[in-house]
Amino acid sequence: MWDETQAYISMKTSLALFQQVPKELSDSQQQELARVVSKTQAIQQRVLSSDEAQQVVIDDAQLDKALAVLQQNFDSSQAYQQALEDNLLSPDALRQAIKNELSSEAVLALVCKDIQPVTEQEAQTFYNQHPEKFRQVARREAHHLLITVNEQFKENTPREAKRRAGELAKKVNPGNFEKLCERHSECPTAVNGGYLGMVEPGSLLPELDKALFNMQEKSFSSPILSSVGYHIVWCKKHVPEHCVSFAEAKAKIQSALLEQAQKRRQKQWLAKLFNQSPLN
């Protein structure tokens, strides 16, 4: 079943690294994929041949859940089925490949079972020693509504797009902006009311970035022309530059330090398994 396992690892790794199935990759991406898949498969084979692997059991519920998560990477069930066909993966082969993957993950979790949770004091020490990691630049919480410019559609010619954006700009207010985005915005963010998130300087198109970081809190922009069309921006909230408090950071620090400890243990265990120096 290892050839089929390799096909599954290749498909899943390609989606994770490049958001594309293997056949859509460039030559350089194919080379990187082959390198990662070869290493992943070698580790998985060795892990599953270990004594610890005899202690783990993967049930049908876990397999069903993993299959459902995999399917979410595809736009439709047809695209999912096509990807399986392209990778020569039958339903049974796919199920076995996923079982191998989950078993390998369970073994790696097993070898870390005696690692103790990170204490508050350990987290506090890390926080005190790395203050630069907790400085937060100024941000803006923002939404936007986009009317694209496209000469091929009469409602999106430069003149018509500008007119439509201007009319919408006259209507917007905090109570209706998200609904107007859902109805009129031509950006994928429309499904979330045009939400852009907590935006840092330099992360948006230059025209939007300049406008947003010069807007008052709780204000709306006039239509802003960018390379893709006209945007109406809602600067919902100003978040000034600040240092994240220990109370806010504690849980993430503890989680990150625990994960580091687990990875160190796994590398040490794998090194012994491969009878070589710790893996990089």
Side-chain angles (χ1 to χ4, degrees):
M1 297 294 280
W2 284 107
D3 286 345
E4 292 162 330
T5 296
Q6 184 178 30
Y8 165 71
I9 294 172
S10 180
M11 181 177 70
K12 185 170 182 180
T13 303
S14 183
L15 290 168
L17 292 180
F18 307 110
Q19 294 76 54
Q20 294 175 301
V21 293
K23 71 175 185 178
E24 298 173 338
L25 302 182
S26 66
D27 289 344
S28 61
Q29 289 173 328
Q30 289 279 4
Q31 292 174 5
E32 175 62 11
L33 177 64
R35 184 191 69 79
V36 174
V37 169
S38 177
K39 182 177 181 179
T40 301
Q41 188 175 7
I43 291 173
Q44 188 180 106
Q45 285 178 297
R46 193 63 64 92
V47 168
L48 294 180
S49 65
S50 68
D51 292 339
E52 287 82 356
Q54 306 306 312
Q55 301 177 47
V56 303
V57 176
I58 304 300
D59 59 31
D60 286 341
Q62 291 171 283
L63 288 172
D64 290 341
K65 182 178 180 179
L67 280 164
V69 170
L70 177 64
Q71 281 189 268
Q72 292 174 5
N73 287 284
F74 297 89
D75 294 332
S76 65
S77 58
Q78 290 82 3
Y80 172 68
Q81 292 300 328
Q82 187 61 54
L84 298 189
E85 291 178 17
D86 291 342
N87 287 277
L88 304 178
L89 276 168
S90 67
D92 287 344
L94 175 63
R95 199 169 181 86
Q96 182 60 50
I98 290 178
K99 184 175 183 179
N100 290 340
E101 178 184 49
L102 294 179
S103 297
S104 179
E105 291 172 354
V107 172
L108 291 174
L110 180 65
V111 301
C112 298
K113 68 178 183 179
D114 62 338
I115 295 178
Q116 296 300 308
V118 176
T119 66
E120 181 170 335
Q121 183 57 52
E122 289 170 330
Q124 180 76 64
T125 299
F126 181 88
Y127 180 85
N128 294 341
Q129 292 177 344
H130 301 279
E132 73 285 353
K133 294 182 181 293
F134 305 99
R135 294 194 188 102
Q136 179 64 65
V137 300
R139 295 177 296 165
R140 301 289 185 266
E141 184 176 15
H143 294 244
H144 87 136
L145 188 158
L146 170 65
I147 303 297
T148 58
V149 171
N150 189 332
E151 292 278 10
Q152 295 182 350
F153 302 97
K154 63 181 182 180
E155 66 271 23
N156 291 95
T157 61
R159 182 175 180 177
E160 184 62 14
K162 182 177 181 180
R163 185 197 66 78
R164 290 172 57 203
E167 289 299 314
L168 287 166
K170 296 175 184 177
K171 300 177 181 178
V172 297
N173 62 59
N176 69 11
F177 192 88
E178 293 182 47
K179 289 296 183 183
L180 288 174
C181 283
E182 292 171 4
R183 188 176 308 146
H184 299 285
S185 183
E186 295 162 359
C187 174
T189 59
V191 297
N192 293 315
Y195 190 57
L196 294 172
M198 299 299 296
V199 181
E200 296 186 2
S203 56
L204 299 178
L205 291 167
E207 300 87 349
L208 300 188
D209 189 79
K210 181 179 179 181
L212 178 60
F213 282 88
N214 282 286
M215 292 174 65
Q216 296 294 316
E217 190 174 54
K218 301 178 182 179
S219 67
F220 297 89
S221 72
S222 299
I224 302 164
L225 179 61
S226 77
S227 58
V228 295
Y230 286 91
H231 309 254
I232 302 168
V233 176
W234 178 17
C235 181
K236 197 172 185 178
K237 182 180 179 181
H238 284 194
V239 180
E241 181 177 353
H242 66 285
C243 185
V244 177
S245 70
F246 175 67
E248 294 174 291
K250 182 177 74 171
K252 288 185 178 180
I253 295 172
Q254 290 175 313
S255 177
L257 292 180
L258 178 60
E259 184 177 351
Q260 288 176 13
Q262 291 170 338
K263 286 182 177 179
R264 283 195 299 270
R265 172 69 63 81
Q266 290 166 358
K267 284 186 176 183
Q268 292 166 356
W269 181 79
L270 286 169
K272 290 180 182 178
L273 205 60
F274 278 81
N275 192 28
Q276 62 184 36
S277 59
L279 300 173
N280 294 323

